[in-house]
Amino acid sequence: MKAITYHRYGSPDVLEYEDIEKPAPGDNEVLIKVRAASVNPFDWHFMRGSPYFLRIVAGLRKPKMTRLGVDVAGQVEAVGRNVTQFKPGDEVFGVCREAFAEYARTSESSLVMKPGNVTFEQAASVPVAAITALQGLRDKGHIQRGQTVLINGAAGGVGTFAVQIAKSFDTDVTGVCSTRNVEMVRSIGADRVIDYTQQDFAKGTQRYDLIFDLVATHSLRAYRRVLNPNGTCVIAGGPSQVLAILTSAFEVFVLSPCASSWRPER
Ligand SMILES: NC(=O)c1ccc[n+]([C@@H]2O[C@H](COP(=O)([O-])OP(=O)(O)OC[C@H]3O[C@@H](n4cnc5c(N)ncnc54)[C@H](OP(=O)(O)O)[C@@H]3O)[C@@H](O)[C@H]2O)c1
């Protein structure tokens, strides 16, 4: 089968289009005929080997894993003998490790059925970014109906899911983004939008029960000032991408929490 591979770190020029062996699913795995795969920041970081400390996991001199692609949608081609939820022909989407290829395999638990009214392209754009938003708000932030929620970085890949997920919990949502994205963030459900080029939410009078931070533009002290007593701050990204890449890697390899949460002592 054809696959995108890379054997050294660098710009997109390091990517190669190669013939490699078609994989077979393990006992608990599903083999997917890939119909769409999206490019996640995770792929960018692993292709570049950046930030440098990432190479402790990915390979010091060259990548240990030579394939990319964590978000996938496609049709089930074959299943391992312990797989019970899927059968050949099913349309699925989810998280995997080597989606930039004709076929990809992943564990049964990393996939769900694709709704019929969603295209493969749409489905492939959801997995890691949306899971990050869901884990950050629900699992780490323990979001509750009626809370005031601030999404810092609301216009991005994770932030746009976060705004919509927070609204689905019936909360009052404030999104922070730049001028060009104000209308878009409002259109996906934010009750209020703060344009960070005009206003600093950390200097405002509004208090929040939950801050979901994807850009880490402020100190913990600044967040504390605008958190309600017992409020929670969940951080899933950072300017240097340091925390973000750690959490991304964690999510994909361990399939566990994406984010760090912090509740200031009062
Ligand atoms: N995507 C994933 O699946 C994933 C998973 C785990 C962790 N992460 C991490 O989470 C972070 C966000 O990822 P992403 O994919 O959502 O990135 P993204 O698509 O690049 O979005 C980042 C957003 O941050 C906004 N932004 C920039 N400066 C800002 C500021 N000073 N205040 C508020 N917002 C600002 C930008 O909005 P404007 O364009 O309006 O300036 C941009 O839309 C990254 O650190 C990433 O590594 C991402």
Side-chain angles (χ1 to χ4, degrees):
M1 69 168 186
K2 296 286 186 195
I4 302 291
T5 62
Y6 74 126
H7 302 279
R8 59 198 166 92
Y9 296 119
S11 67
D13 298 336
V14 301
L15 300 177
E16 293 173 32
Y17 187 53
E18 276 191 298
D19 281 308
I20 62 165
E21 203 173 322
K22 181 178 169 184
D27 288 350
N28 301 311
E29 287 182 330
V30 174
L31 181 67
I32 304 157
K33 183 169 174 48
V34 177
R35 295 285 302 275
S38 69
V39 180
N40 188 278
F42 188 92
D43 301 309
W44 188 92
H45 288 295
F46 274 78
M47 181 188 73
R48 298 250 174 202
S50 168
Y52 213 81
F53 75 84
L54 168 85
R55 299 185 187 200
I56 297 167
V57 179
L60 283 180
R61 292 189 173 174
K62 57 182 187 173
K64 280 192 275 194
M65 290 180 294
T66 56
R67 307 270 305 282
L68 296 166
V70 290
D71 289 323
V72 71
Q75 264 164 323
V76 174
E77 174 86 357
V79 297
R81 62 180 171 178
N82 297 335
V83 171
T84 56
Q85 294 183 70
F86 304 108
K87 59 179 186 327
D90 284 349
E91 297 184 346
V92 294
F93 71 110
V95 176
C96 74
R97 280 195 196 163
E98 299 174 337
F100 299 163
E102 281 183 276
Y103 295 91
R105 60 189 177 137
T106 191
S107 62
E108 178 180 24
S109 60
S110 300
L111 294 171
V112 291
M113 293 292 279
K114 181 182 79 61
N117 61 349
V118 172
T119 67
F120 286 105
E121 290 77 11
Q122 289 168 335
S125 70
V126 171
V128 176
I131 290 170
T132 303
L134 187 64
Q135 288 178 329
L137 291 169
R138 183 193 63 187
D139 303 345
K140 290 291 179 184
H142 306 293
I143 190 169
Q144 300 291 323
R145 184 177 183 188
Q147 285 186 325
T148 48
V149 179
L150 179 109
I151 316 284
N152 192 26
V158 180
T160 47
F161 284 111
V163 169
Q164 296 170 82
I165 290 169
K167 277 314 293 178
S168 77
F169 278 89
D170 215 0
T171 57
D172 184 274
V173 177
T174 301
V176 183
C177 61
S178 66
T179 315
R180 68 191 171 113
N181 288 318
V182 167
E183 280 316 311
M184 184 273 286
V185 171
R186 192 170 284 131
S187 75
I188 57 173
D191 299 284
R192 264 169 300 288
V193 183
I194 295 175
D195 177 346
Y196 65 79
T197 67
Q198 305 291 322
Q199 195 187 339
D200 181 356
F201 73 85
K203 293 187 176 144
T205 53
Q206 174 74 42
R207 297 288 178 270
Y208 304 96
D209 299 309
L210 175 59
I211 295 177
F212 187 37
D213 184 15
L214 299 159
V215 282
T217 46
H218 293 74
S219 66
L220 290 181
R221 183 188 292 258
Y223 289 132
R224 179 183 179 140
R225 215 186 66 73
V226 289
L227 274 176
N228 277 325
N230 300 320
T232 303
C233 179
V234 178
I235 301 172
S240 63
Q241 311 289 334
V242 170
L243 182 58
I245 194 63
L246 274 179
T247 54
S248 301
F250 217 61
E251 184 177 312
V252 168
F253 294 129
V254 192
L255 289 177
S256 75
C258 70
S260 309
S261 66
W262 170 73
R263 183 172 287 165
E265 287 179 18
R266 301 271 166 185

